[in-house]
Amino acid sequence: MSRAGAAGPAGAVKPIRRRRLLLVGLLVLPLLGGLFPLLAAPGTARAASGCSGRPAKTVGFSTGELRVYKSRAHACAVTVAKKPGKRRTMSVTLQARGGRAVSDKGSYTKMAGPVTVNALNRCVRATGAIGKKSVSTGWILC
């Protein structure tokens, strides 16, 4: 007897292989999808800052730094203390050109913000302060 006669027609084997490949693919893809966030760009400090997007500008000053992030349609800013721990007055302000300024001011230990504005095709300016020291970016992301 020939091999095709014992296993049935030659075309009957292919659908079983396709089903197996489909099943394996359906099981492996979610696992690979779970690894994707771990393989993301290491320079995006999303968890530490609270802002999404890529870092656009960082301006340092004696007591900390002002960080501005940009995504496609939004800009976000935070003020981060150089030496966190003690409560100090901190603030961050972000304004899109032609829009109102959004700010966060209070007594914080590590950072003020995040504050976010719609900035699709618009310049923004940011100001950050810790204690009596402050810094401003001027109009950026134009």
Side-chain angles (χ1 to χ4, degrees), residues 5-127:
V13 176
K14 288 185 180 179
I16 293 172
R17 285 185 188 163
R18 286 183 188 153
R19 284 188 203 129
R20 282 185 189 161
L21 286 176
L22 180 64
L23 182 62
V24 169
L26 290 174
L27 293 175
V28 171
L29 282 176
L31 294 175
L32 292 176
L35 291 176
F36 184 72
L38 298 175
L39 301 174
T44 59
R46 243 189 274 200
S49 71
C51 287
S52 63
R54 61 175 172 77
K57 181 124 180 140
T58 301
V59 182
F61 57 108
S62 62
T63 55
E65 61 185 22
L66 171 65
R67 299 177 186 167
V68 180
Y69 296 83
K70 176 78 168 119
S71 64
R72 183 181 180 282
H74 295 90
C76 181
V78 293
T79 301
V80 182
K82 193 176 277 187
K83 294 180 182 177
K86 185 171 88 170
R87 285 205 172 272
R88 293 175 279 188
T89 302
M90 295 186 196
S91 68
V92 61
T93 303
L94 185 63
Q95 179 182 10
R97 190 172 294 227
R100 291 185 180 208
V102 179
S103 63
D104 178 30
K105 182 177 181 181
S107 180
Y108 301 113
T109 58
K110 184 177 180 181
M111 78 176 188
V115 292
T116 305
V117 295
N118 291 327
L120 183 64
N121 299 325
R122 295 164 79 185
C123 303
V124 296
R125 66 178 170 190
T127 305

